[in-house]
């Protein structure tokens, strides 16, 4: 299907023309038919038969008929905004008129590039002068040189030729991707008895299917597609471009209406602040309060000029915008010049520091409005893939971790800075040189801890102790004990060599000048083994203890283990718990344990499981 909007001055025969082309009445309201004046959007369609060039059957062409009166410019914008092409009408007997120019200015602001010019009422006046002037005016805009046809809806003159031009126009229109994210701007919402809420709009791209979930523009409401119609035919799926009627379930009263939008869930980034480039006017000359028109929406916006042609817009409500979107800025009032805007950034930085606005203007000056993944990543430095895609920016690089993308230069600088911070921490805290990963995250201003871990993946620079969550320099893997501390630790080690399981008492540690901090440093350096708080043994003491306990009759009691290890209950209780945790021993009941015959690498799995306990189980 191809969808065209009409455009042109009031009473220049737009509705009569599409009525003659389709045989359908575009004016839905009784007042419209009584006054002969279009007041709201109308929707009609036809199949134009064979394509003269290719001989194949042409697609349906649907028309969104817009009002031409100056009082209804906002309605005209709602009809023309989502349409990719236009049928522009100028009456031969009246020539170019003010609303002809205003509609053309709007189309130019939206950068519409596909049109057919129809010089209507050629039975009432010579169409030549009007045709020449109108074609020249259109040629000076984004529409460029367009085919033109002199027609009469009353006599039928020129209609066949117009149909041929419309068929050729339809063949020249680009086909949008069927897998694109859905953004359906609504132009009507009403209730059908037995069906519920039905909305209509022009689907510009993507595919709608019965059963799909959609969200409203503010993300607060999720709806289910119960049914689809395209040109009054029931469909299970519809791909853009198409006029669609969607029966939705889940909408409350007043949630849906013209100007609202339905979206593919989790694929858009609604925003109330956006930076744009204006065309046709200096940003300094814009009023402070204007309306932003995009799709069928018209949203009040506060204007803050940044550069000669760049502006920050603060919207009264969030809109699902993407980089490269075209929209129209218009001041309230009947005779207001429409200005085109191109969306440059849908997630701009806050301007809070002095000079931030000037720096932002310089940054925006080089932005083109064409989605550029590398440039956007260079500006943002770190961003989630799904956020970049939701901005409408293609992703051409692999994540550094999870779905985090990083600018290569920024990532390299972060890695160097992290190495520096780790070494600085080690110098300041020689007894505890490992920089906690959370502290590293704060120092680097990173939004996610996984990014710190990803920065340590390069060999030779950093080492991450994942069990303790600390970072060590490659040349400084552990604490550096001052000579007095090292000497005291060696005395403890010598004592333990004589009695491996008699942990020194707190008084003995104090006598040697060892504090909690220095003992922790000795443990981190691999000189001592911490069994529990206040109890240290030599590294490997748990393996030696297990060997001793295997020599006991199995199972054994705590008292039997304490005697075999020649230690105290103070040491035996936590030591046995450590042996349980490391898979050397296991409990048989509340009083007894037994040794496992062999400890595997899986954290306590047995290569040779012990004999089954044949006692009567207790439940």
């Amino acid at each position: 299907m191809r969808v065209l909007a009409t455009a042109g001055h009031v009473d220049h025969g737009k509705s009569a023309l599409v009525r003659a082309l389709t045989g359908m009445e575009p004016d839905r309201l009784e007042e419209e038919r009584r006054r002969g004046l279009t007041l709201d959007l109308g929707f009609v369609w036809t199949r134009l038969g064979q394509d003269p060039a290719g001989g194949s059957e042409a697609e349906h062409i649907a028309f969104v008929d817009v009002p031409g009166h100056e009082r209804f410019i906002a309605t005209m914008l709602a009809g023309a905004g989502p349409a990719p092409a236009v049928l522009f009408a100028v009456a031969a007997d009246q020539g170019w008129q003010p609303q002809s120019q205003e509609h053309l200015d709007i189309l130019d602001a939206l950068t519409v590039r596909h049109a057919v010019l129809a010089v209507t009422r050629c039975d009432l006046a010579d169409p030549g002068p009007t045709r020449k002037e109108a074609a020249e005016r259109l040629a000076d805009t984004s529409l460029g040189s367009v085919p033109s046809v002199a027609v009469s809806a009353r006599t039928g003159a020129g209609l066949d030729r117009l149909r041929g031009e419309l068929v050729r126009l339809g063949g020249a229109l680009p086909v949008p991707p069927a897998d694109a994210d859905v953004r359906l701007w609504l132009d009507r919402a009403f209730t059908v008895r037995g069906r519920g809420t039905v909305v209509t709009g022009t689907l510009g791209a993507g595919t709608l299917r019965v059963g799909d979930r959609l969200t409203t523009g503010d993300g607060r409401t999720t709806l289910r597609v119960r049914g689809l119609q395209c040109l009054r035919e029931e469909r299970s799926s519809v791909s853009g471009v198409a006029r669609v009627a969607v029966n939705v379930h889940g909408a409350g009263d007043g949630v849906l209406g013209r100007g609202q939008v339905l979206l593919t869930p989790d694929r858009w980034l609604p925003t109330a602040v956006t930076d744009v480039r204006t065309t046709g006017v200096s940003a300094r000359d814009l009023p402070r309060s204007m309306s932003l028109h995009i799709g069928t929406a018209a949203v009040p916006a506060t204007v803050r000029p940044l550069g000669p042609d760049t502006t920050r817009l603060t919207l009264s409500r969030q809109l699902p915008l993407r980089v490269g979107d075209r929209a129209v800025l218009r001041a309230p009032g009947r005779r207001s010049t429409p200005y085109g805007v191109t969306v440059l950034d849908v997630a701009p930085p806050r301007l809070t520091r002095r000079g931030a606005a000037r720096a932002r203007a310089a940054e925006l000056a080089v932005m083109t409005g064409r989605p550029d993944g590398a440039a956007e990543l260079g500006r943002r430095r770190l961003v989630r893939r799904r956020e970049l895609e939701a901005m409408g920016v293609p992703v051409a690089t692999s994540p550094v971790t999870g779905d985090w993308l990083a600018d290569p230069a920024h990532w390299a600088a972060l890695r160097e800075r992290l190495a520096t911070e780790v070494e600085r921490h080690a110098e300041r805290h020689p007894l505890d040189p490992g920089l906690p990963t959370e502290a590293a995250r704060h120092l680097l201003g990173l939004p996610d801890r996984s990014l710190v871990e990803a920065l340590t993946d390069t060999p030779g620079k950093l080492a991450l102790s994942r069990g303790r969550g600390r970072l060590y320099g490659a040349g400084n893997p552990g604490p550096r004990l001052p000579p007095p501390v090292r000497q005291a630790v060696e005395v403890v080690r010598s004592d333990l060599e004589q009695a491996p399981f008699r942990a020194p008492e707190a008084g003995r540690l104090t006598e040697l000048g060892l504090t909690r901090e220095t003992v922790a440093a000795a443990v981190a350096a691999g000189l001592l083994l911490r069994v529990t708080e206040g109890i240290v043994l030599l590294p490997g003491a748990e393996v030696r203890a297990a060997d001793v306990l295997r020599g006991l009759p199995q199972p054994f009691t705590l008292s039997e283990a304490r005697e075999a290890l020649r230690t105290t209950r103070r040491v035996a209780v936590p030591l046995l718990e450590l042996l349980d945790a490391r898979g050397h021993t296991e409990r048989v009941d509340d009083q007894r344990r037994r040794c496992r015959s062999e400890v595997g690498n899986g954290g306590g799995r047995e290569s040779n499981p012990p004999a089954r306990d044949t006692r009567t189980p207790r439940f």
Side-chain angles (χ1 to χ4, degrees):
M1 181 193 301
R2 305 301 184 183
V3 179
L4 284 74
T6 63
H9 191 74
V10 61
D11 198 32
H12 274 206
K14 299 184 295 298
S15 299
L17 184 58
V18 296
R19 188 183 300 117
L21 287 169
T22 66
M24 301 176 68
E25 176 57 63
D27 290 333
R28 297 178 293 107
L29 306 178
E30 181 180 345
E31 184 181 359
E32 291 178 311
R33 294 191 288 271
R34 179 174 56 81
R35 296 173 59 181
L37 178 69
T38 299
L39 306 175
D40 202 354
L41 300 179
F43 312 101
V44 292
W45 58 90
T46 186
R47 188 185 290 276
L48 293 182
Q50 301 292 315
D51 182 346
S56 60
E57 189 176 10
E59 295 180 277
H60 276 107
I61 292 186
F63 297 95
V64 181
D65 189 35
V66 307
H69 198 282
E70 63 177 345
R71 292 173 55 191
F72 305 116
I73 286 297
T75 304
M76 180 272 173
L77 276 158
V86 66
L87 175 61
F88 202 107
V90 185
D93 60 332
Q94 292 189 13
W96 196 260
Q97 295 293 318
Q99 249 50 57
S100 305
Q101 187 61 49
E102 187 165 15
H103 282 205
L104 181 59
D105 290 342
I106 288 171
L107 297 174
D108 188 35
L110 291 170
T111 62
V112 178
R113 302 189 184 280
H114 303 277
V116 172
L117 171 63
V119 180
T120 60
R121 302 211 287 254
C122 67
D123 56 320
L124 299 181
D126 177 11
T130 296
R131 186 175 186 173
K132 181 175 183 297
E133 180 186 7
E136 289 175 350
R137 288 180 180 268
L138 266 63
D140 288 337
T141 69
S142 63
L143 294 172
S145 179
V146 303
S148 60
V149 182
V151 296
S152 170
R154 187 175 67 85
T155 68
L159 287 180
D160 285 342
R161 185 181 171 195
L162 178 58
R163 290 187 179 99
E165 292 296 348
L166 290 173
V167 170
R168 280 186 281 274
L169 172 65
L173 290 176
V175 178
D179 60 350
D181 301 326
V182 169
R183 179 172 57 175
L184 178 65
W185 296 103
L186 308 185
D187 45 45
R188 289 185 69 203
F190 49 92
T191 301
V192 176
R193 180 175 295 179
R195 293 261 184 138
T197 303
V198 175
V199 297
T200 66
T202 299
L203 178 63
T207 300
L208 284 172
R209 299 176 180 84
V210 174
D212 278 356
R213 300 282 176 176
L214 301 172
T215 60
T216 53
D218 57 10
R220 296 177 182 175
T221 306
T222 300
L223 310 173
R224 181 173 60 86
V225 178
R226 297 176 62 181
L228 285 171
Q229 280 193 4
C230 185
L231 308 184
R232 294 181 183 170
E233 294 181 0
E234 296 288 339
R235 303 280 291 274
S236 60
S237 66
V238 179
S239 297
V241 174
R243 285 293 306 171
V244 293
V246 188
N247 181 203
V248 295
H249 174 71
D253 293 340
V255 171
L256 302 179
R258 180 172 298 170
Q260 299 298 322
V261 62
L262 297 182
L263 308 168
T264 301
D266 304 320
R267 296 294 300 169
W268 295 85
L269 194 67
T271 181
V273 180
T274 180
D275 289 345
V276 303
R277 173 165 285 114
T278 56
T279 55
V281 64
S282 168
R284 308 286 178 187
D285 295 334
L286 292 172
R288 178 170 174 77
S289 297
M290 302 189 78
S291 288
L292 180 73
H293 297 262
I294 183 168
T296 61
V299 178
T302 301
V303 176
R304 179 180 179 178
L306 295 175
D309 63 347
T310 53
T311 299
R312 173 157 295 186
L313 302 179
T314 302
L315 310 176
S316 64
R317 66 179 172 93
Q318 290 186 328
L319 290 176
L321 305 178
R322 283 189 169 172
V323 174
D325 276 345
R326 290 288 299 182
V328 172
L329 268 181
R330 188 171 176 270
R334 293 188 184 178
R335 295 295 177 91
S336 173
T337 303
Y339 301 112
V341 299
T342 301
V343 174
L344 301 179
D345 194 341
V346 299
R350 297 178 61 185
L351 305 178
T352 55
R353 293 181 297 179
R354 186 171 185 176
R358 188 182 309 110
R360 181 61 174 166
E363 189 175 40
L364 293 173
V366 300
M367 295 171 66
T368 64
R370 292 187 297 273
D372 184 333
E376 197 67 36
L377 191 55
R379 281 188 291 271
R380 297 187 182 278
R381 297 185 174 184
L382 283 170
V383 64
R384 291 187 182 275
R385 176 195 286 271
R386 62 178 178 270
E387 291 180 7
L388 208 57
E389 291 174 341
M391 297 175 196
V393 178
V395 177
T397 186
S398 299
V400 293
T401 183
D403 70 338
W404 283 103
L405 303 173
D407 173 63
H410 180 61
W411 190 248
L414 283 175
R415 183 176 285 120
E416 291 299 325
R417 185 182 167 198
L418 180 58
T420 300
E421 294 293 350
V422 168
E423 292 302 325
R424 181 180 290 125
H425 180 86
E427 292 173 0
R428 293 174 177 174
H429 307 279
L431 292 178
D432 188 19
L435 177 63
T437 53
E438 186 62 18
R441 186 184 74 80
H442 282 287
L443 284 170
L444 299 183
L446 298 175
D448 195 300
R449 183 169 175 170
S450 66
L451 292 166
V452 179
E453 297 179 0
L455 285 168
T456 67
D457 285 344
T458 300
K461 282 284 186 182
L462 297 166
L464 174 62
S465 173
R466 298 187 184 273
R468 302 181 65 227
R470 290 176 176 269
L471 299 168
Y472 296 91
N476 180 32
R480 297 192 299 270
L481 302 182
V485 174
R486 184 62 182 247
Q487 291 173 6
V489 169
E490 288 300 329
V491 171
V492 172
R493 287 172 57 85
S494 178
D495 291 345
L496 288 171
E497 288 290 349
Q498 303 299 319
F501 306 112
R502 282 197 169 272
E505 299 284 348
R508 174 61 170 163
L509 296 176
T510 302
E511 177 186 330
L512 293 172
L514 293 174
T515 64
R516 178 181 297 182
E517 182 184 23
T518 53
V519 169
V523 171
L527 299 175
L528 295 174
L529 168 70
R530 185 196 301 274
V531 177
T532 189
E533 185 67 31
I535 296 178
V536 291
L537 300 175
L538 290 176
E542 78 281 15
V543 176
R544 296 176 64 182
D547 289 340
V548 171
L549 296 176
R550 284 193 180 94
L552 292 176
Q554 305 291 314
F556 54 84
T557 65
L558 169 62
S559 178
E560 291 168 342
R562 179 180 59 77
E563 291 180 2
L565 296 173
R566 296 184 181 181
T567 187
T568 63
R569 183 182 178 87
R570 178 181 73 93
V571 177
V573 170
L575 180 56
L576 286 174
E577 290 175 351
L578 178 64
L579 293 176
D580 290 345
R582 297 194 177 182
H584 294 286
T585 58
E586 64 181 354
R587 283 187 174 275
V588 172
D589 53 32
D590 291 344
Q591 301 296 325
R592 297 177 299 169
R593 286 178 170 84
R594 64 184 167 198
C595 291
R596 295 189 176 186
S597 58
E598 185 178 345
V599 180
N601 294 327
R605 293 182 59 188
E606 301 173 42
S607 301
N608 297 306
R612 173 176 293 185
D613 189 347
T614 58
R615 293 175 301 161
T616 303
R618 298 173 61 187
F619 296 98

